[in-house]
Amino acid sequence: MTAGALTRLAGACGLLLLVAACGSGSGSGSSSSASPSAGNATNGGTLKLLGSGDVDHLDPASAYYTVSYTLERAFTRQLVSYPSSSQIGAATAVAPDLASELPTTGNGGISADGLTYTFHLRPGVQWNTSPPRAVTAGDVVRGLQRICNPASPSGALSYYEDTIAGFTAFCDGFAKVDASSPAAMATYMNSHAVSGIKAPDASTVVITLTRPASDFLNIMAMPFASAAPVEYLTYVPDSAAFRQHTVSDGPYAITTYQAGSKILLDRNPAWSQSADPLRHQHVSSISITEGQGSDQAVQQQLQAGTADLSWDLPVPTADLSQLRSSKNPDFAIYPSASNNPYLVFNLRSPKNSGALGKLKVRQALEYAVDKTAIGSIYGGPALNTPLDQVIPPGQSGYVPFDLYPTSGHNGDPATCKTMLAAAGYPNGLTLTDVARNSGNHPAVAQSVQADLAKCGVTTKIVSVSQGDYYGKYLNSPAATSAGTWDISEPGWVADWYGNNGRSFIAVLFDGRKYGPNTVDYGDYNSPTVNALIDKAESAPSAATAATYWHQADEQIMKDAAFIPFETQKVPAFHSSRVKNALWSPFAQSYDITNLWLNPTS
């Protein structure tokens, strides 16, 4: 997720899309390290989540918020996914889900040339239809086809187009179909195929790649690749009607969806524990209440035990010191593979005579931001490290460098102002900053506003809801071209661990993929970077790929394509009722399918 945030676009804690994590012992406080199958599990009760905004999309084909990932864990399944574990290595290692086993060269699942993957579906997985019916290979194929539906395509479409044979051709044709007509889309999907995706029988899926991809199973583990029932062809993808008719093959089913207000999930009676090695069905129901404007109010309810988890709001910064010093057992800090938040430039904006499309203007603005001040909004240096590039420490391709150094990462408004004048803007600029209206996002926008003012740039902050932020602004080519926004502060969490250069560089900065729902929000497009992406993705080893990812990182910063602020650790809190709280690196939250509630609390 983009993604954004997170998967992904970060929603909770200001994270976009959708990776970070580890388990107990990884930070101050602790989270239960019990096994998901621990014998002391208690079943029953309603898990209560409180938050501010809604999902970006409810349709798995396009959902990319970290909170969307939290929800999808309960009602969608993929050929492969990730287990819940208190150990970072286990939690980020791909595991079989719908597939009965991971394909390997040893079991015949991966061809000797690395181009063909064969998945065999495990028996017993069912849709909660009336009557229940088996999830088939055709449902997996349909789910993959829907990734590029013209009504609500995936923000990570490039992952699939760049790896699966025939995917681009299929999507190019799909893009020409009437996006308002479910019948037209269904007809196209039923009469066209992705050449590299086949279902030779009801329990076998065979996928052929354009070239070997060592991260292909990570791509297939993303919720975009969820199986999709035939009923989904009845609706415009992610439309209001679709959101009232989701179908589940997971342990829970969405029984109530009220946009921006409430989501209720109940146990899926068609689900079988024996057919799901990754999830459980401990709590009876899951209630998500939105519209809570204050992270402090949510935190108070979590500590009082009247709610259990935050949906999309961070632990209040003002509470972090006390929670850490008291070693509160319900509080923990988790590491993250993130570039969050950051400032994105709208290179398409016609305002200020197209100033943001000019390299020297963007390079001047690189000196403006006090990154330490941004970090203080999220809890200070114990939780946040200033970042000067795309790829954060510990990730594939990371080599530290700083092309725009300032003392203490505090910004250099004098240099910014001098460079703006040299770029032809001695009187500064006037920019529109679209910012989310919840969590730490308003404070971030205000901090940026104050920094830019010091170098002669006036910003007008346009406050928008979490639900509108991407769809109506950053993900809209029309809004971008019209200059509806000039700058913004999204964030990014890596889509997977390990060989994840594609998850940072390719998804955020491959300009060839620009369009609705992509996370190259400002339409940055560099032939040099695009060529390095191609070299990295076709590299014979992860080590070789890492050298190209680093070179691309350097070029992106030379082009001042964005302003990185920091990489974060993520503080999290849950009520004392919650047991077996296992952190999800991909949802940036606790796995709601594996925890249970203490009935005595």
Side-chain angles (χ1 to χ4, degrees):
M1 234 211 161
T2 187
L6 50 30
T7 89
R8 261 126 31 262
L9 308 179
C13 304
L15 295 172
L16 170 103
L17 232 246
L18 304 327
V19 169
C22 83
S24 61
S26 63
S28 65
S30 66
S31 192
S32 170
S33 59
S35 164
S37 58
N40 62 344
T42 299
N43 294 329
T46 297
L47 178 69
K48 301 175 182 178
L49 291 84
L50 294 181
S52 172
D54 203 358
V55 295
D56 57 334
H57 304 279
L58 199 59
D59 190 331
S62 48
Y64 216 170
Y65 272 6
T66 48
V67 293
S68 302
Y69 272 40
T70 296
L71 191 63
E72 287 175 301
R73 178 71 167 179
F75 80 99
T76 72
R77 295 183 64 180
Q78 303 77 42
L79 287 171
V80 294
S81 187
Y82 298 93
S84 289
S85 174
S86 60
Q87 303 302 315
I88 183 66
T92 57
V94 176
D97 187 355
L98 288 176
S100 59
E101 62 180 346
L102 288 182
T104 67
T105 52
N107 65 12
I110 304 177
S111 61
D113 61 6
L115 293 179
T116 302
Y117 285 66
T118 300
F119 301 87
H120 300 286
L121 271 59
R122 69 176 69 244
V125 183
Q126 297 190 107
W127 296 112
N128 67 326
T129 50
S130 184
R133 68 171 188 275
V135 174
T136 68
D139 297 327
V140 175
V141 173
R142 185 180 302 109
L144 291 169
Q145 288 179 324
R146 293 183 77 253
I147 288 173
C148 63
N149 75 82
S152 185
S154 167
L157 177 58
S158 63
Y159 290 157
Y160 304 90
E161 288 189 322
D162 291 347
T163 55
I164 300 176
F167 210 92
T168 297
F170 175 86
C171 293
D172 286 346
F174 208 173
K176 300 173 184 177
V177 175
D178 182 358
S180 66
S181 171
M185 285 185 276
T187 297
Y188 181 83
M189 292 174 65
N190 289 331
S191 59
H192 294 75
V194 178
S195 62
I197 305 175
K198 300 184 184 301
D201 57 56
S203 61
T204 306
V205 178
V206 180
I207 300 178
T208 302
L209 309 188
T210 56
R211 59 187 179 224
S214 58
D215 54 6
F216 180 63
L217 289 180
N218 298 103
I219 293 170
M220 291 301 295
M222 298 187 72
F224 301 122
S226 300
V230 68
E231 285 84 358
Y232 282 3
L233 299 184
T234 306
Y235 310 100
V236 171
D238 204 47
S239 62
F242 174 93
R243 293 189 179 202
Q244 297 302 322
H245 295 91
T246 53
V247 181
S248 174
D249 56 355
Y252 297 91
I254 298 173
T255 52
T256 299
Y257 173 76
Q258 298 173 2
S261 176
K262 181 179 181 180
I263 305 173
L264 181 65
L265 299 95
D266 292 311
R267 284 175 174 158
N268 172 11
W271 177 84
S272 170
Q273 180 68 78
S274 63
D276 192 340
L278 303 180
R279 304 164 188 79
H280 289 74
Q281 205 180 55
H282 295 309
V283 300
S284 297
S285 58
I286 302 166
S287 173
I288 302 165
T289 302
E290 301 169 347
Q292 311 292 308
S294 165
D295 52 11
Q296 190 65 60
V298 169
Q299 180 67 18
Q300 288 173 358
Q301 293 193 59
L302 299 185
Q303 292 188 253
T306 54
D308 299 305
L309 299 176
S310 173
W311 168 238
D312 66 348
L313 291 171
V315 178
T317 300
D319 292 3
L320 292 175
S321 177
Q322 187 277 328
L323 289 169
R324 293 178 65 204
S325 63
S326 68
K327 301 187 184 301
N328 190 305
D330 301 323
F331 173 72
I333 297 173
Y334 299 95
S336 173
S338 68
N339 193 316
N340 178 69
Y342 63 84
L343 186 146
V344 61
F345 295 113
N346 178 1
L347 276 65
R348 287 187 166 202
S349 177
K351 293 189 298 187
N352 301 287
S353 301
L356 294 182
K358 300 174 182 178
L359 174 61
K360 293 188 179 299
V361 169
R362 299 193 305 274
Q363 289 176 328
L365 296 179
E366 291 281 350
Y367 288 94
V369 177
D370 183 342
K371 298 179 183 181
T372 303
I374 298 290
S376 69
I377 295 171
Y378 289 90
L383 297 177
N384 308 281
T385 301
L387 193 60
D388 305 304
Q389 59 196 91
V390 181
I391 302 173
Q395 309 310 308
S396 179
Y398 173 73
V399 178
F401 66 95
D402 185 1
L403 301 185
Y404 311 99
T406 67
S407 177
H409 286 92
N410 294 327
D412 184 347
T415 296
C416 173
K417 185 177 291 188
T418 298
M419 291 180 66
L420 272 181
Y425 293 87
N427 298 317
L429 305 166
T430 299
L431 304 175
T432 298
D433 183 352
V434 61
R436 286 166 283 184
N437 61 6
S438 62
N440 290 326
H441 304 301
V444 171
Q446 291 161 14
S447 184
V448 170
Q449 182 182 52
D451 291 341
L452 291 178
K454 294 175 186 177
C455 61
V457 176
T458 300
T459 61
K460 176 185 177 183
I461 298 174
V462 176
S463 183
V464 302
S465 70
Q466 185 92 302
D468 288 342
Y469 180 62
Y470 291 102
K472 291 188 177 180
Y473 295 92
L474 271 65
N475 283 144
S476 169
T480 301
S481 294
T484 303
W485 64 278
D486 295 302
I487 59 173
S488 190
E489 297 85 16
W492 187 253
V493 180
D495 285 325
W496 59 86
Y497 273 80
N499 182 20
N500 63 1
R502 188 197 303 259
S503 179
F504 280 103
I505 300 294
V507 72
L508 290 171
F509 297 103
D510 188 338
R512 296 166 294 185
K513 308 300 182 181
Y514 181 77
N517 261 28
T518 58
V519 289
D520 174 17
Y521 307 117
D523 194 18
Y524 168 77
N525 190 6
S526 162
T528 300
V529 170
N530 295 345
L532 288 167
I533 289 171
D534 290 342
K535 289 180 179 179
E537 291 180 351
S538 59
S541 70
T544 301
T547 64
Y548 293 124
W549 293 129
H550 168 60
Q551 291 173 30
D553 196 349
E554 286 188 311
Q555 186 61 50
I556 290 164
M557 292 313 303
K558 289 176 183 177
D559 292 340
F562 82 131
I563 304 178
F565 294 160
E566 63 185 17
T567 186
Q568 298 177 332
K569 295 178 182 177
V570 185
F573 188 89
H574 59 74
S575 78
S576 60
R577 293 203 316 155
V578 173
K579 304 302 174 185
N580 202 51
L582 301 173
W583 187 251
S584 167
F586 309 97
Q588 293 280 281
S589 183
Y590 293 110
D591 181 357
I592 60 177
T593 71
N594 274 299
L595 55 75
W596 59 81
L597 302 174
N598 185 346
T600 63
S601 298

